[in-house]
Amino acid sequence: MATSTPVRPRPEGEASPKRGAARRRRFGLRLSVWLPTAVAVVIVGFAWSATAEDQPYLLPPLAEVGGILVEDPLLFVNNAWATLSIALTGVAFGAGTAFVLALLMSEIPLLRRAIMPLAVILNVTPVIAIAPALVVAFGFGMTPKVIVTAIITFFPVLINVTTGLRSVSRPVLHVFSTLHASRLEVLLRLRIPSSLPYTLAALRVVFPLSIVGAVVAEFVAAGSSSGLGTMIRNSAATARLEYVYAAVACLAVMGVLMLALITVLERRLLFWHESQQRTTS
């Protein structure tokens, strides 16, 4: 007669082997995510320090850049907020206008054929060339900077949302047709949800790009007294490199935070999408 091996009861608080293996896999995954970045940052830091020691007129020491940030943080916070205000307002106008036009173009093909060439022309036009004219037309306030930022962020959203609205599965579209769904119902229940991955992908591009647009607007739109772009321009003119790179560091942090915000939003809204399932598996 076969005898069964007695099962040793697991002490209270001891994790099961499967849970322990899952924890080790998660730890290994986290390690594989942040360790390469940390190594790259350390290498760049050593290279920066070596270059700054040999050529101080090219790069300031990292200690001086960090000292400037610690010495007067409110200066950088106030200028960062001025740049961020321009970026967020510009991306709201640019992306919002592009989204509305994409909805109209998906329903009216004639409108798409009329607007898309004009959008391409606007996209290939150097915004620096028209910025002085915007200053003449709208003055030295915030308006020309917002328009420049909106122009820079307009085209990626228009293209992505238009592609997403037209990438509807034909079998699903036939199902809606057999159910006698109206065009508004198809738009709200099928086309817009189908375009959501494309829209969020565009936002991942244009939100950090709006920071670049705001800085470019501060460069070319004269008369601004605040903003990180203005600080970089004025500091470069007086050869204060530590202020230039401190402002660049603030811009980099702003761009990373905006990208992280869109990434979190994408994971929350697209939990059903296969791209997020592959990422979290």
Side-chain angles (χ1 to χ4, degrees), residues 47 51 95 103 107 162 175 179 183 223 238:
T51 305
L103 291 178
E107 297 297 320
T162 302
V175 171
L179 294 175
R183 296 182 66 176
T238 55

Side-chain angles (χ1 to χ4, degrees), residues 224-247:
S224 58
S225 59
S226 61
L228 293 175
T230 303
M231 176 183 288
I232 292 173
R233 184 187 60 196
N234 295 338
S235 299
T238 55
R240 295 184 297 174
L241 293 181
E242 62 276 9
Y243 281 90
V244 171
Y245 285 101

Side-chain angles (χ1 to χ4, degrees), residues 120-144:
V120 172
I121 293 174
L122 181 64
N123 182 58
V124 300
T125 302
V127 69
I128 297 179
I130 62 177
L134 294 175
V135 173
V136 173
F138 298 101
F140 298 102
M142 188 176 177
T143 302

Side-chain angles (χ1 to χ4, degrees), residues 2-259:
T3 59
S4 60
T5 304
V7 178
R8 180 180 62 87
R10 186 180 298 114
E12 185 178 356
E14 181 181 345
S16 65
K18 291 183 178 180
R19 290 183 179 178
R23 289 178 180 176
R24 287 192 295 270
R25 285 196 299 268
R26 287 195 296 267
F27 177 76
L29 180 61
R30 290 196 296 266
L31 190 65
S32 65
V33 169
W34 64 261
L35 185 58
T37 303
V39 172
V41 169
V42 171
I43 293 175
V44 170
F46 276 113
W48 184 299
S49 300
T51 305
E53 185 177 355
D54 293 338
Q55 300 180 5
Y57 296 103
L58 179 62
L59 290 177
L62 288 176
E64 291 186 8
V65 177
I68 292 297
L69 291 170
V70 174
E71 180 182 349
D72 195 0
L74 288 180
L75 174 65
F76 292 93
V77 170
N78 293 332
N79 284 281
W81 173 247
T83 301
L84 185 61
S85 300
I86 296 172
L88 293 179
T89 307
V91 77
F93 278 101
T97 304
F99 187 82
V100 173
L101 282 178
L103 291 178
L104 296 175
M105 289 162 56
S106 67
E107 297 297 320
I108 308 174
L110 182 62
L111 188 63
R112 181 175 66 250
R113 290 192 293 269
I115 291 181
M116 191 57 70
L118 298 178
V120 172
I121 293 174
L122 181 64
N123 182 58
V124 300
T125 302
V127 69
I128 297 179
I130 62 177
L134 294 175
V135 173
V136 173
F138 298 101
F140 298 102
M142 188 176 177
T143 302
K145 303 179 184 63
V146 170
I147 295 176
V148 169
T149 307
I151 292 174
I152 292 177
T153 59
F154 171 80
F155 193 74
V157 176
L158 181 68
I159 292 297
N160 275 40
V161 176
T162 302
T163 303
L165 291 171
R166 299 179 63 187
S167 64
V168 178
S169 175
R170 285 191 175 275
V172 179
L173 195 59
H174 289 325
V175 171
F176 273 72
S177 178
T178 56
L179 294 175
H180 303 287
S182 64
R183 296 182 66 176
L184 182 60
E185 289 175 335
V186 173
L187 179 64
L188 296 179
R189 297 180 181 272
L190 181 60
R191 293 192 182 275
I192 291 181
S194 299
S195 68
L196 194 57
Y198 295 86
T199 304
L200 291 174
L203 293 181
R204 291 184 65 179
V205 175
V206 300
F207 263 85
L209 189 62
S210 66
I211 300 292
V212 179
V215 173
V216 170
E218 290 172 348
F219 280 168
V220 299
S224 58
S225 59
S226 61
L228 293 175
T230 303
M231 176 183 288
I232 292 173
R233 184 187 60 196
N234 295 338
S235 299
T238 55
R240 295 184 297 174
L241 293 181
E242 62 276 9
Y243 281 90
V244 171
Y245 285 101
V248 171
C250 293
L251 291 171
V253 171
M254 290 166 58
V256 169
L257 290 178
M258 295 178 75
L259 181 58

